């Protein structure tokens, strides 16, 4: 008996029915993450559609149906349909003509199995008929999904040579779905790990952060290290840093703090700001992200003495990073918001102090005392000001 996709909420969207009708009977199948995650009972965010129609025909048919499109990747056969409830990427069936490990030259195809054969893992090559919800499985993806097995389609080395990023994707999917690591996949990933150096740093950084933000990637990251994969993309990380990642994940659980990929990246780096910034730049992270990595690298045991002062000076996000990495309780933040310093330079000038560097110095000294006293009310700040001015 054919396996069918559960009738999840997203499958009942009227806008998707209109999209399928516009493409024509037999010309559309849902594919990839939406099918996989629905079978697992997981939330679905993105919906991908495969079709034997050429991109120009897809655009024309959707236009006739009043559906707007964006040519997001015409050379690879992808257009995006802009519809209510969430856009849908529609890609023409294809197979690879040539690849260099970073990009592929494709040829459009008409056979669904040809399209499935060029995908990375069996669990990502499941197609569902939008009308009947029947699942089309060409490479044993259903059995692998049931067994929580992440397996390359065909020869793992060939799949990786087509796209080197599949090494990191394998470990990300393994951390999310897998039960046991696949020996053949491990061998291929270890053997071809050096090919990751040919990839753009942005792609590597994106995959690393997505892996690290999963609920519990610790054992997978440890295995990446044992196989020599982690050292290629994060040579700064070692056994000591991996132990810190394990401790951080446990601290997040204990404090009911949501997983954070950037915080965990900071944990697997040495606690040295210059290294943190260097890695952030190498992975093409934003200036804000690099700054957060550097701040986390400055963590020390003194952070535990006054967590609220830490949050005031560096922001709540960075304070939580540092406190969790020093195994500090976060209960002091419950029901507390970072206050605003209630004194401005104008108040000091009104007391007869001329504008200039002296104003900034006095403000800074009063602010330091205000923080040390636990952020007292404005009346106390005024008293501190009077006392300070009396000493000038």
């Amino acid at each position: 008996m054919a396996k069918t996709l559960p009738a999840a909420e997203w499958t009942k969207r009227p806008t998707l029915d209109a999209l399928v009708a516009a493409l024509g009977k037999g010309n559309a199948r849902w594919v990839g993450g939406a099918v996989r995650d629905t079978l697992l009972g997981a939330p679905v965010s993105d919906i991908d559609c495969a079709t034997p129609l050429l991109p120009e025909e897809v655009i024309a048919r959707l236009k006739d149906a009043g559906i707007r499109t964006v040519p997001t990747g015409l050379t690879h056969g992808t257009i995006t349909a802009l519809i209510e409830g969430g856009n849908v990427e529609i890609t023409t069936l294809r197979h690879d003509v040539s690849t260099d490990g970073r990009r592929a030259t494709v040829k459009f195809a008409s056979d669904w199995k040809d399209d499935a054969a060029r995908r990375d893992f069996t669990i990502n090559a499941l197609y569902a008929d939008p009308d009947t919800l029947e699942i089309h499985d060409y490479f044993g993806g259903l059995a692998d999904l049931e067994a929580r097995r992440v397996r390359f389609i065909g020869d793992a080395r060939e799949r990786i040579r087509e796209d080197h990023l599949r090494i990191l994707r394998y470990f990300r999917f393994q951390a999310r779905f897998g039960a046991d690591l696949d020996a053949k996949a491990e061998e291929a990933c270890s053997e071809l790990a050096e090919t990751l150096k040919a990839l753009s740093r942005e792609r590597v950084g994106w995959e690393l952060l997505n892996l690290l933000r999963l609920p519990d990637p610790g054992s997978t990251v440890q295995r990446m290290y044992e196989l020599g994969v982690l050292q290629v993309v994060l040579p700064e990380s070692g056994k000591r840093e991996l132990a810190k990642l394990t401790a951080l994940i446990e601290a997040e659980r204990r404090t009911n703090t949501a997983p954070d990929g950037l915080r965990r990246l900071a944990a697997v780096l040495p606690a040295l700001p210059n290294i943190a910034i260097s890695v952030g730049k190498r992975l093409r992270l934003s200036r804000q992200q690099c700054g957060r990595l550097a701040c986390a690298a400055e963590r020390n045991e003194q952070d535990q003495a006054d967590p609220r002062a830490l949050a005031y000076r560096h922001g709540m996000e960075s304070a939580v990073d540092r406190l969790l990495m020093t195994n500090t309780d976060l209960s002091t933040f419950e029901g507390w918001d970072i206050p605003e310093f209630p004194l401005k330079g104008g108040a000091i000038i009104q007391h007869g102090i001329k504008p200039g560097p002296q104003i900034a110095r006095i403000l800074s000294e009063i602010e330091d005392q205000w923080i040390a006293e636990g952020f007292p009310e404005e009346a106390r700040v005024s008293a501190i000001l009077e006392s300070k001015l009396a000493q000038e």
Side-chain angles (χ1 to χ4, degrees), residues 21-239:
L23 293 175
K25 188 171 180 62
N27 287 330
R29 288 181 186 175
W30 311 132
V31 65
V35 178
R36 179 199 66 223
D37 291 349
T38 299
L39 288 167
L40 290 172
V44 170
S45 54
D46 300 319
I47 299 173
D48 294 318
C49 176
T51 179
L53 300 175
L54 295 176
E56 294 79 7
E57 180 67 16
V58 172
I59 293 172
R61 292 193 181 201
L62 295 188
K63 182 179 180 180
D64 289 343
I67 299 174
R68 293 174 54 218
T69 60
V70 176
T72 44
L74 276 183
T75 56
H76 288 82
T78 301
I79 68 103
T80 299
L82 308 180
I83 60 176
E84 186 180 348
N87 299 338
V88 176
E89 280 201 353
I90 305 171
T91 302
T92 301
L93 303 182
R94 55 193 180 172
H95 61 83
D96 293 337
V97 175
S98 63
T99 61
D100 62 3
R102 293 175 296 174
R103 60 186 66 86
T105 300
V106 301
K107 182 178 181 181
F108 298 134
S110 58
D111 187 278
W112 296 95
K113 187 173 181 178
D114 285 346
D115 187 72
R118 68 172 301 278
R119 296 178 182 270
D120 48 12
F121 310 115
T122 60
I123 61 173
N124 290 337
L126 298 170
Y127 300 73
D129 186 295
D131 294 320
T132 65
L133 297 183
E134 179 183 353
I135 294 175
H136 300 267
D137 177 15
Y138 301 98
F139 296 101
L142 285 171
D144 288 337
L145 197 61
E146 185 175 355
R148 292 295 196 275
R149 180 170 51 238
V150 182
R151 183 169 59 89
F152 282 99
I153 293 173
D155 182 71
R157 289 171 178 78
E158 183 179 345
R159 295 284 82 78
I160 291 171
R161 290 190 182 100
E162 291 169 352
D163 184 352
H164 306 321
L165 195 66
R166 285 172 173 169
I167 294 175
L168 297 183
R169 282 176 58 81
Y170 168 75
F171 288 106
R172 176 162 65 87
F173 277 88
Q174 176 61 41
R176 184 180 176 192
F177 302 116
D180 298 316
L181 289 161
D182 181 80
K184 292 182 179 179
E186 279 195 337
E187 291 173 6
C189 291
S190 180
E191 179 183 315
L192 298 173
E194 290 292 322
T195 64
L196 288 168
K197 293 180 178 179
L199 293 171
S200 72
R201 298 299 90 187
E202 292 94 335
R203 295 183 76 195
V204 171
W206 190 90
E207 279 293 341
L208 277 176
L209 290 177
N210 276 286
L211 165 62
L212 289 170
R213 67 169 54 102
L214 291 172
D216 189 2
S219 60
T220 298
V221 175
Q222 175 67 39
R223 191 58 179 155
M224 289 171 67
Y225 180 80
E226 294 168 357
L227 293 169
V229 174
L230 188 66
Q231 294 88 321
V232 175
V233 292
L234 279 182
E236 299 83 1
S237 187
K239 292 182 179 179

